[in-house]
Amino acid sequence: MQITRLIGAFGAATLLLGTTVRAQGPGGLLPTPADTPNRQGTRGANFLHIGVGARSGAMANATAASVNGPLAWFSNPAGAGTSESFSAVAGRQNLYGDLGLGQTYAALSIPALGGNLGVHFNTLSSGDIKRTTELNPFGDRLGGNFFQWTSTVVGIGYAKRLTDRLQVGGQIKYISEGIPDAGTKWVAADIGTQFNTGLYGLTLGGSISNVGPTARSSGALITRVISTADRGTFSDNRRVSLYTSQVELPVEFRLSLASDLLGSANSLLGKGSGKNTLNAEVAVNESTDFTTQYAIGLEYGYRNILFVRGGKRVYNDDRDRGTDTPVGLAGGFGLRLPAKGRNVRFDYSFESAGALQNIQIFSFEVGR
């Protein structure tokens, strides 16, 4: 009866979010009577939607219920409550094939105050963009030959196990993005929870991310000096700022259901020999600037040393238009080796992105 109610509640939540999809429309770039306009591209700091970590990437980011350690600060801070000692993770993500976009991240979890304190850093760079002007469409040497668009988030958080099955976490983040002398800055908050039901290895996870006020762009490039001279005795030069619209953050809600199918005492298929583990997770993502996305991920482990992963994300938009390459199909592997009482982990993932080629992620983690 308990397991039936649990699955029923998860199905009801999925149905509710699916209603939002139908209300918004499929989310195409070109509005039609059957494909009405929505909020895509209307929020700032969209890089926050890009998943972080090779394990998550290989499972199509269906990991809100199973993510743990310092990587949890990027998707569901409750998962950081599992850290038993000082833990660190760092990684590099090469986005969209050879387009030159790169993302670098790092995070720490430190046991303190009865739980775990954490800090994390995540930055995305566009790579070099040639600087041009109306008078110099092939390059402006006076202003420098190149510039970069940079998006960065720095956060500090706290996570704690409330019981042996329930853990919660939250954090505050400082977010900025833009080009030199013209950028936007926000302060936002995340909150999340994970609950191990104790039934057939099922764990529920949920988080709400990027909740914060709006902000305007500012900087030297958005200012001008105007002269009030009127051919009279007095004249004045004043610096004014151009008016820019308020920009909202992309508030995102994640809901996941994970299951230990094989390998643990509560696994749906039993413990087996103990050498092999199999985990599955299904997820629903909803945001203020995209239609509902669904994902499923699988992870096979051998002796808790070698892991093979795969997943598929359903984006519910037309990003696969004009290409025969699968979109949202992901896979990867991981190695976990003991070293002086700690575990050293290396993970790799690859996700197909259609016309945008692919996303590759390399992660390195030390902890317990």
Side-chain angles (χ1 to χ4, degrees):
M1 180 62 69
Q2 287 180 319
I3 185 63
T4 303
R5 291 177 179 175
L6 179 64
I7 295 176
F10 186 79
T14 303
L15 179 62
L16 179 61
L17 292 176
T19 303
T20 305
V21 177
R22 292 190 293 273
Q24 285 185 307
L29 298 177
L30 301 176
T32 67
D35 185 4
T36 55
N38 57 36
R39 296 180 176 180
Q40 287 178 329
T42 62
R43 300 296 186 269
N46 288 142
F47 79 105
L48 296 172
H49 289 319
I50 301 175
V52 170
R55 178 180 182 270
S56 295
M59 297 177 66
N61 288 299
T63 56
S66 62
V67 66
N68 57 65
L71 268 177
W73 298 116
F74 297 102
S75 56
N76 184 355
T82 62
S83 297
E84 299 177 359
S85 64
F86 174 86
S87 301
V89 65
R92 172 71 178 179
Q93 306 191 168
N94 298 322
L95 305 176
Y96 313 125
D98 57 1
L99 297 183
L101 278 71
Q103 191 169 4
T104 304
Y105 62 90
L108 301 175
S109 286
I110 306 169
L113 304 177
N116 282 281
L117 289 175
V119 295
H120 76 273
F121 169 81
N122 180 15
T123 183
L124 178 146
S125 172
S126 65
D128 289 335
I129 303 174
K130 181 174 288 188
R131 187 184 298 273
T132 63
T133 65
E134 295 176 353
L135 298 178
N136 297 282
F138 299 104
D140 183 7
R141 294 184 178 181
L142 295 180
N145 290 331
F146 298 94
F147 69 97
Q148 292 187 356
W149 174 279
T150 303
S151 300
T152 302
V153 57
V154 179
I156 181 169
Y158 178 76
K160 180 179 177 62
R161 281 184 178 272
L162 298 182
T163 71
D164 60 339
R165 295 185 181 179
L166 176 65
Q167 52 204 41
V168 296
Q171 62 185 345
I172 300 295
K173 305 187 295 188
Y174 172 78
I175 305 164
S176 65
E177 69 174 7
I179 62 176
D181 297 323
T184 312
K185 302 175 177 62
W186 299 268
V187 175
D190 299 350
I191 188 170
T193 183
Q194 289 179 342
F195 175 63
N196 186 338
T197 66
L199 302 172
Y200 302 106
L202 292 174
T203 300
L204 278 171
S207 67
I208 299 177
S209 305
N210 314 321
V211 179
T214 60
R216 284 194 174 101
S217 296
S218 61
L221 293 178
I222 310 179
T223 63
R224 296 290 185 271
V225 177
I226 61 173
S227 176
T228 61
D230 57 359
R231 298 184 180 180
T233 305
F234 300 100
S235 64
D236 187 20
N237 292 328
R238 295 185 179 181
R239 183 176 294 274
V240 298
S241 296
L242 300 178
Y243 177 83
T244 57
S245 299
Q246 295 279 2
V247 180
E248 298 181 31
L249 286 169
V251 179
E252 184 172 359
F253 171 71
R254 298 180 180 92
L255 178 65
S256 280
L257 175 64
S259 175
D260 295 333
L261 299 178
L262 179 67
S264 69
N266 295 322
S267 293
L268 184 64
L269 303 178
K271 186 175 181 180
S273 65
K275 297 179 181 179
N276 303 290
T277 60
L278 182 63
N279 303 297
E281 189 161 348
V282 293
V284 180
N285 280 20
E286 173 79 3
S287 177
T288 54
D289 64 339
F290 62 63
T291 54
T292 306
Q293 299 176 359
Y294 301 92
I296 183 170
L298 293 171
E299 179 182 54
Y300 166 76
Y302 177 72
R303 291 184 178 272
N304 205 26
I305 295 176
L306 175 65
F307 300 88
V308 179
R309 307 175 179 111
K312 178 67 170 72
R313 184 188 296 192
V314 180
Y315 285 99
N316 280 336
D317 56 31
D318 60 354
R319 67 185 65 198
D320 58 349
R321 182 181 298 176
T323 177
D324 296 328
T325 305
V327 177
L329 191 63
F333 66 90
L335 293 174
R336 179 179 179 180
L337 303 173
K340 296 184 178 180
R342 298 181 182 272
N343 290 314
V344 178
R345 306 178 187 179
F346 172 79
D347 296 289
Y348 168 80
S349 71
F350 179 98
E351 179 182 343
S352 60
L356 293 176
Q357 302 178 60
N358 60 73
I359 299 174
Q360 297 187 68
I361 306 176
F362 303 85
S363 292
F364 182 77
E365 183 174 353
V366 178
R368 279 196 294 184

